[in-house]
Amino acid sequence: MATTVLYSSRRGVEDLFGAIHRKEHEMKQVNAQHASLSDPVRMAIGYVLEGKNRPPLKLAMALRRVYDDPENPANPKSKVKKTEEEMEREEKLLEYGMAEMGMRRGSFIVDIKRKSLSRPGETLTRYDDAGMVAEAMVSLGADVVFVNVDYTSYGGDISELRSAVRAVRAVSDTAAVVMKDIVVDEIQLGLAKDAGVDGILLMASVLGPALENFLNLATSIGLETIVECHTRNEVKAALDALAQNIMVSNYDRIQQRYYPDQAYKLAGMFPGSGGPIISIAGGGIEDTDQMKRLLSVGYDGVVVGEAVMGSSRAPEFIKCARDRTLLPAEFSQWGLEDAEFDMDGNLMSGPKKDVPDKDDRDAFM
């Protein structure tokens, strides 16, 4: 059984509350540095994008792997031509979370960090530049990369963000870059926008009732978001605030404790396949079996950090998430979690644990 271990900034090791207070102090200095109305960062959060000026939802499309689905009308390269009536019908189904069921494709998200707020005082991995790591992971097939920019908690730096964006853009037109930080001030959205990222991570446990304001600002400036939640109440608050991309973490940042089955238990809170909410899961994922389990219960993607950072197993993790199709989320409670399907939707056989063979007549009995 996991034990609860609390860390306090008073003991020289920073906990969440200490990190928030430190970040608020840092942001006062950042605001002072970008006080001019003509400052690029200040302008980034003051320029409202509307209509055709709004950028495409690159992050959402990467999380749903729209670019890999030739039959998805949202894919710019889709050859499927649908009538106006069919398009209207699909929009209505999507609006009400009733999109037609179909096989899903899981996305793989890499959390690039040297340290972790969940493992205070430890160095998880060493690298010179986050841009080089981001490029390597995307080249292997990662759909999205989180670039951590808080030095004290994650060992990152805001200067690495631009490097990561350039590196990813050089090797992929579809992969998305997300700025991960302990966001406490609106100026951080400006920093993310100015750096050219596709999205920013917002922690529900940090922002609390201010979450909706941050979501509204991000939307107005054309910056996509992922809201990190741990509890049922946090997920509900994110849904009520109209968050479109939600990450359920197994890690409780307030108690500083892992609950390995938390994301699995909360999977049922989201609409079915093709619905308006994109859900991903992460936090302490150490092997591919954990990934398969989370994808099979309806999550659109998985976030993996330490297990692939500086590890020769990175290709294995990415291949596991991407080289298969998933049953519609509506089937998540049918006891088919151990069944695996190839990219054509055929049941995969082979030396896999508890996976029925395609010739087994009792496979789905």
Side-chain angles (χ1 to χ4, degrees):
M1 178 179 291
T3 56
T4 302
V5 181
L6 294 178
Y7 297 93
S8 171
S9 54
R10 295 177 184 176
R11 291 163 45 193
V13 180
E14 190 175 61
D15 61 9
L16 179 64
F17 301 105
I20 292 173
H21 290 311
R22 170 182 58 79
K23 205 69 186 182
E24 289 175 337
H25 176 70
E26 289 178 3
M27 289 306 107
K28 287 181 180 178
Q29 296 175 318
V30 172
N31 271 293
Q33 293 171 3
H34 301 281
S36 172
L37 294 178
S38 61
D39 184 273
V41 172
R42 186 66 60 183
M43 291 177 67
I45 55 176
Y47 186 67
V48 177
L49 297 178
E50 297 180 346
K52 294 182 179 180
N53 292 324
R54 298 189 62 80
L57 299 177
K58 189 171 185 177
L59 174 58
M61 294 173 80
L63 291 173
R64 277 263 168 88
R65 287 181 61 190
V66 168
Y67 298 104
D68 293 338
D69 188 352
E71 297 184 1
N72 192 319
N75 183 352
K77 298 181 180 179
S78 173
K79 297 180 180 179
V80 179
K81 303 297 181 183
K82 297 188 178 182
T83 64
E84 199 170 303
E85 186 176 323
E86 289 176 325
M87 293 293 287
E88 288 181 5
R89 177 176 179 274
E90 287 191 359
E91 286 178 7
K92 288 183 178 180
L93 287 172
L94 182 63
E95 181 181 351
Y96 293 106
M98 299 169 60
E100 293 183 24
M101 292 187 295
M103 296 298 281
R104 300 178 294 119
R105 298 165 186 258
S107 59
F108 188 84
I109 302 100
V110 181
D111 192 3
I112 301 174
K113 56 188 175 183
R114 296 178 178 88
K115 300 189 294 184
S116 176
L117 192 57
S118 63
R119 304 266 295 274
E122 293 185 39
T123 298
L124 305 180
T125 187
R126 299 179 186 277
Y127 52 84
D128 293 329
D129 180 32
M132 296 173 62
V133 180
E135 179 181 354
M137 291 297 176
V138 170
S139 296
L140 288 171
D143 300 285
V144 179
V145 291
F146 287 177
V147 180
N148 289 267
V149 299
D150 183 80
Y151 179 78
T152 304
S153 297
Y154 299 107
D157 186 83
I158 192 71
S159 64
E160 293 185 301
L161 202 54
R162 291 182 183 275
S163 171
V165 171
R166 287 195 301 269
V168 170
R169 298 287 187 263
V171 295
S172 174
D173 294 328
T174 60
V177 181
V178 173
M179 172 176 147
K180 182 178 176 182
D181 196 2
I182 304 169
V183 176
V184 297
D185 194 289
E186 293 178 351
I187 195 69
Q188 289 164 279
L189 274 64
L191 292 170
K193 184 70 176 177
D194 184 57
V197 300
D198 303 295
I200 187 170
L201 183 79
L202 303 176
M203 299 175 184
S205 59
V206 171
L207 292 175
L211 175 63
E212 185 173 2
N213 292 336
F214 277 78
L215 285 170
N216 290 339
L217 175 59
T219 300
S220 69
I221 64 175
L223 184 66
E224 293 181 78
T225 58
I226 295 178
V227 178
E228 180 196 283
C229 305
H230 171 72
T231 67
R232 181 177 294 274
N233 286 340
E234 287 175 355
V235 172
K236 187 177 183 303
L239 291 171
D240 290 344
L242 303 182
Q244 292 184 313
N245 307 315
I246 297 177
M247 171 186 169
V248 180
S249 175
N250 291 321
Y251 182 66
D252 186 333
R253 293 192 179 279
I254 296 176
Q255 295 189 43
Q256 293 187 287
R257 176 178 176 179
Y258 275 106
Y259 293 83
D261 293 326
Q262 185 71 358
Y264 181 84
K265 292 176 180 178
L266 298 184
M269 294 189 69
F270 304 100
S273 300
I277 308 300
I278 295 175
S279 61
I280 59 178
I285 296 179
E286 298 177 345
D287 57 55
T288 55
D289 285 340
Q290 290 174 286
M291 285 175 45
K292 294 174 187 176
R293 186 168 183 247
L294 291 168
L295 290 170
S296 68
V297 294
Y299 286 103
D300 295 291
V302 287
V303 182
V304 183
E306 182 185 356
V308 297
M309 289 298 299
S311 169
S312 59
R313 298 188 63 198
E316 176 190 347
F317 274 82
I318 296 173
K319 184 179 177 65
C320 176
R322 290 180 54 85
D323 289 4
R324 65 194 66 238
T325 51
L326 307 163
L327 287 172
E330 289 79 1
F331 289 90
S332 62
Q333 305 300 319
W334 285 33
L336 304 176
E337 297 171 19
D338 291 321
E340 296 184 52
F341 300 85
D342 61 22
M343 293 305 292
D344 296 321
N346 301 312
L347 189 64
M348 296 170 63
S349 59
K352 301 180 182 64
K353 183 174 62 177
D354 301 325
V355 178
D357 186 272
K358 64 179 180 180
D359 298 319
D360 183 359
R361 295 182 179 180
D362 298 324
F364 298 112
M365 296 299 287

